Amino acid sequence: MSMQMPHPLGTRAKVLLSSVFGPYVQDDEFGSRKINPMELYQNQVTRVQGVFSLRMFHRSFGLMMIQSNIDAPCTLLDFPSLDRFTLELQENKYDIIGISAIRQNIGKVKKMCELIREYQPGAVILVGGHIASQSNLNEMIDSDHIVKGEGVRWFRSYLGQDVNAPIIHPEVYSCNGTRILGYALNEKPGDTAAMLIPSVGCPLGCNFCSTSALFGGKGNFINFYETGDELFSVMCRLEKNLKVRSFFVMDENFLYHRKRALRLLELIEENHKSWALSVFSSARVIKSYTLGQLARLGISWVWMGMEGRESKYSKLSGVDTCELVKQLQSHGIRVLGSSIIGMENHKPENIDEIIEYAVSHDTVFHQFMLYTPNPGTPLYEEHKKDGTLFDESEFPPADAHGQYRFNYKHKYIKNGEEEEYIVNAFKRDFKVNGPSLFRLIRTLLNGWQEYKNHPETCIKDRFAWEVAPLRTSYAGAVWAMKKWYADDPIMLKKINTLLKDIYKEFGLKTRLAAPVIGIYLFSAMKREAARLAQGWTYEPRSFYEKNQAALALESTAAESGTSRTGVNVKQSRVSLGQIS
């Protein structure tokens, strides 16, 4: 963390934190791209799955962590429109304005800085996030500070607070706006996992990894919670206040911190918690745990980098990833595998074989990304040294998002062929393995059949509540899939087998419920397909939230019921993560 002189107002400074403005699913002058929506799954995972694509949005969790851990009055504006951001600048005065962004959004940050200078010339402008890795960023935008690395300690230092004070974790759900099969899921308490952020950075430091580079590179990471006891305490609070039993653990390699994970396991068992954890893990690390440990810890979903056949990363050394995925999913652990298109040994002559190898894993979800050197990474420095990077005037940062083309001269893949290759990878995975929702339901059933009679009550209970939708809504979804794939004999056979297995496992009520629900979902799927064919796009809703210090300053406006911006202040009196 770079040091800086504290702000003269200290914790009396009024702070505004904002993500970049939307809309996001369009090609515009500010760097938005239709191909690069503000949706992780639709962007990089279920991209070609149409009505089966998992649609959802994720909050700006880094900004929420900062807001939760500073004593200054702080307002958070997440996913604003340009007009909404401008209105906030016109109506409310701030001393510090912070913007978080990725490199692809340099154009948006530039515009936001211009607006701040116009409407609030006295405000200090801070810019952070992955965009901070851009080497000449200070020449491209008009900001006062570029915050590199972890933002909570930087902000605390800037406000004159104790940088080593305990981290207060925000109470926020992991996603919002979830939709699939043309159906918007209800956002009832407990239906969505809580977000949990134990650490940032990854000690493995793969050469292409922007996240690892942002927090110090290979061998470096920052633990917000050093011990299993600290983490367990946070999880109990989230469980109580958000009414959840599941947690999405935003940690680049959660299980790598073995002592913390095993202590958490002890506390889970001692306190009879039946929790489900979705985690990121490298293959070698997850293989170092027994299936029993994973089950007792509640590991239900794993994002695992498989990168590609013959890749040289140590995290994959000696691991048969196909066999590992098969083993995990046979025990109900849903795997999101991540593969790279365009590594050093990839050529037009072997690309089909490379794609087939990735598809053969049959993971529940599969992310495909182009091998992309981003500023700050060893891969970027290597290409910079070799002179193979395209000039930004030739290939703008807005297009270097990993789903379009290379931002450098590949040794073997030329003339934009990678654009076709990555789409083919998604299509092949979808064709061979079917919709990710089908795979997810099948894997859930595997887990239930494996653990439904387990002697440990907490494990048995977790699988029971995880598979509850199989008795109704998921059975209906499979029924609807059966109609959808009526003309595809190979996929239809797989779906029929799964539906029969569900009926056999859950009996008459499920057999009766499936067609009733399925008819409704099939109609929703047809309507969704028509919308998509007409170019329908999906944008996140905006959030406007204040911490307690900011609310105290707004007390007069709160009594009258309306703030100067027209946003009802009472609606802002929510725990972080709720909609304002």
Side-chain angles (χ1 to χ4, degrees):
M1 180 185 73
S2 61
M3 302 303 292
Q4 66 291 313
M5 292 294 293
H7 192 281
L9 294 178
T11 56
R12 292 181 292 112
K14 291 182 63 178
V15 179
L16 172 66
L17 300 177
S18 181
S19 57
V20 295
F21 60 85
Y24 308 97
V25 196
Q26 63 180 27
D27 297 326
D28 65 24
E29 61 184 298
F30 302 113
S32 288
R33 295 291 185 265
K34 286 182 180 178
I35 199 176
N36 189 31
M38 188 66 77
E39 298 179 73
L40 174 62
Y41 281 86
Q42 173 66 14
N43 186 325
Q44 303 174 6
V45 183
T46 55
R47 176 177 163 182
V48 303
Q49 294 192 23
V51 299
F52 296 103
S53 182
L54 180 58
R55 315 297 296 266
M56 63 171 64
F57 302 104
H58 304 280
R59 294 292 308 278
S60 299
F61 300 116
L63 294 181
M64 300 183 81
M65 285 289 284
I66 293 171
Q67 187 188 37
S68 296
N69 285 278
I70 59 176
D71 297 334
C74 181
T75 298
L76 173 59
L77 187 56
D78 211 0
F79 308 130
S81 65
L82 182 58
D83 288 344
R84 179 65 184 87
F85 180 74
T86 303
L87 181 65
E88 187 66 20
L89 298 179
Q90 292 171 330
E91 296 291 331
N92 293 294
K93 182 179 181 299
Y94 293 98
D95 303 298
I96 302 169
I97 300 177
I99 305 168
S100 177
I102 57 176
R103 177 175 177 250
Q104 289 71 27
N105 288 320
I106 288 175
K108 294 193 176 192
V109 174
K110 182 176 184 293
K111 178 64 175 178
M112 294 171 81
C113 290
E114 290 171 355
L115 289 170
I116 295 169
R117 294 300 188 211
E118 178 180 354
Y119 292 107
Q120 304 221 19
V124 175
I125 303 177
L126 314 177
V127 173
H130 285 281
I131 192 174
S133 297
Q134 179 76 23
S135 59
N136 59 338
L137 184 61
N138 62 333
E139 300 171 7
M140 304 171 74
I141 63 172
D142 182 12
S143 67
D144 297 296
H145 296 285
I146 296 172
V147 181
K148 297 183 178 181
E150 196 274 298
V152 171
R153 289 175 174 84
W154 193 99
F155 239 106
R156 283 175 166 176
S157 174
Y158 189 52
L159 296 174
Q161 295 179 220
D162 180 3
V163 298
N164 296 314
I167 295 292
I168 300 170
H169 200 289
E171 295 171 6
V172 55
Y173 295 109
S174 60
C175 61
N176 63 87
T178 306
R179 155 186 204 95
I180 193 168
L181 305 182
Y183 177 75
L185 275 62
N186 294 323
E187 295 185 347
K188 298 182 297 184
D191 283 355
T192 303
M195 177 56 65
L196 181 67
I197 309 175
S199 311
V200 290
C202 180
L204 300 186
C206 294
N207 66 331
F208 58 84
C209 183
S210 297
T211 304
S212 177
L214 183 66
F215 297 104
K218 190 176 182 66
N220 294 291
F221 56 90
I222 298 168
N223 285 339
F224 292 137
Y225 305 101
E226 293 285 349
T227 68
D229 295 82
E230 292 173 325
L231 203 54
F232 182 77
S233 176
V234 171
M235 294 170 76
C236 287
R237 175 168 61 84
L238 296 175
E239 175 191 42
K240 178 182 177 181
N241 294 344
L242 296 180
K243 298 178 172 56
V244 299
R245 297 177 68 175
S246 57
F247 303 85
F248 191 97
V249 186
M250 184 64 76
D251 185 313
E252 290 292 306
N253 208 337
F254 175 69
L255 296 173
Y256 177 88
H257 305 280
R258 192 176 186 87
K259 182 178 179 180
R260 184 177 66 185
L262 292 180
R263 175 55 181 159
L264 178 63
L265 171 56
E266 291 177 357
L267 293 167
I268 286 173
E269 292 184 317
E270 289 172 9
N271 292 274
H272 309 291
K273 295 294 186 182
S274 183
W275 286 342
L277 278 66
S278 299
V279 304
F280 294 76
S281 177
S282 58
R284 284 188 66 189
V285 167
I286 199 165
K287 201 171 185 298
S288 70
Y289 290 77
T290 67
L291 287 168
Q293 287 174 320
L294 296 176
R296 300 198 319 273
L297 190 52
I299 304 300
S300 62
W301 185 98
V302 175
W303 186 312
M304 184 170 68
M306 302 182 306
E307 317 316 353
R309 174 176 275 173
E310 299 179 2
S311 61
K312 305 301 182 183
Y313 299 107
S314 60
K315 65 184 182 181
L316 297 165
S317 178
V319 179
D320 182 339
T321 51
C322 283
E323 183 59 33
L324 177 58
V325 168
K326 182 179 179 181
Q327 184 182 50
L328 293 172
Q329 293 192 161
S330 70
H331 284 71
I333 299 175
R334 285 80 76 195
V335 178
L336 191 160
S338 180
S339 294
I340 296 174
I341 301 296
M343 299 187 77
E344 290 89 349
N345 63 329
H346 291 187
K347 308 174 183 179
E349 304 87 73
N350 65 14
I351 196 67
D352 288 341
E353 178 187 349
I354 287 160
I355 291 172
E356 286 301 318
Y357 173 72
V359 170
S360 71
H361 286 78
D362 192 16
T363 53
V364 167
F365 295 100
H366 208 129
Q367 178 196 46
F368 292 96
M369 294 290 288
L370 293 178
Y371 197 40
T372 303
N374 284 308
T377 65
L379 183 62
Y380 183 89
E381 293 303 317
E382 178 184 335
H383 280 283
K384 184 178 179 181
K385 180 181 177 182
D386 293 343
T388 51
L389 292 170
F390 289 128
D391 188 86
E392 291 180 0
S393 62
E394 182 180 0
F395 194 92
D399 291 318
H401 48 69
Q403 290 293 317
Y404 175 45
R405 291 188 179 182
F406 298 134
N407 58 342
Y408 63 98
K409 299 173 185 175
H410 195 280
K411 185 175 182 180
Y412 301 110
I413 300 173
K414 311 290 185 182
N415 303 317
E417 294 169 321
E418 66 274 15
E419 185 178 0
E420 178 183 354
Y421 295 157
I422 192 167
V423 174
N424 286 346
F426 284 112
K427 288 181 176 179
R428 186 62 180 162
D429 180 61
F430 186 38
K431 175 68 175 177
V432 173
N433 298 319
S436 287
L437 180 61
F438 163 79
R439 304 177 228 174
L440 182 146
I441 293 170
R442 182 188 60 200
T443 304
L444 280 173
L445 184 60
N446 291 343
W448 171 247
Q449 291 172 334
E450 179 71 28
Y451 290 102
K452 63 182 178 181
N453 296 316
H454 197 278
E456 294 186 35
T457 302
C458 288
I459 293 178
K460 186 167 60 177
D461 285 353
R462 172 168 68 85
F463 280 93
W465 64 260
E466 279 194 316
V467 304
L470 285 179
R471 300 175 184 273
T472 53
S473 57
Y474 280 175
V478 177
W479 190 96
M481 288 183 210
K482 180 180 175 181
K483 283 186 67 67
W484 192 268
Y485 279 96
D487 297 326
D488 184 336
I490 296 175
M491 195 64 218
L492 183 61
K493 183 178 179 180
K494 294 180 180 180
I495 294 170
N496 268 324
T497 299
L498 176 59
L499 190 58
K500 289 176 182 177
D501 289 344
I502 291 172
Y503 287 163
K504 182 179 178 180
E505 193 67 41
F506 299 111
L508 181 61
K509 289 184 178 180
T510 297
R511 187 182 291 271
L512 294 174
V516 176
I517 297 169
I519 290 171
Y520 171 80
L521 289 176
F522 186 68
S523 296
M525 290 162 67
K526 289 192 293 183
R527 291 192 298 270
E528 186 81 344
R531 277 193 293 268
L532 293 172
Q534 293 169 2
W536 177 81
T537 57
Y538 200 27
E539 296 279 357
R541 60 182 178 265
S542 297
F543 293 79
Y544 184 74
E545 297 159 342
K546 297 177 181 291
N547 65 6
Q548 290 301 314
L551 288 171
L553 289 180
E554 293 277 343
S555 59
T556 302
E559 290 172 4
S560 67
T562 306
S563 74
R564 293 174 62 193
T565 60
V567 175
N568 189 292
V569 176
K570 292 182 180 178
Q571 291 177 320
S572 296
R573 293 179 180 274
V574 295
S575 298
L576 292 176
Q578 294 178 336
I579 307 166
S580 63

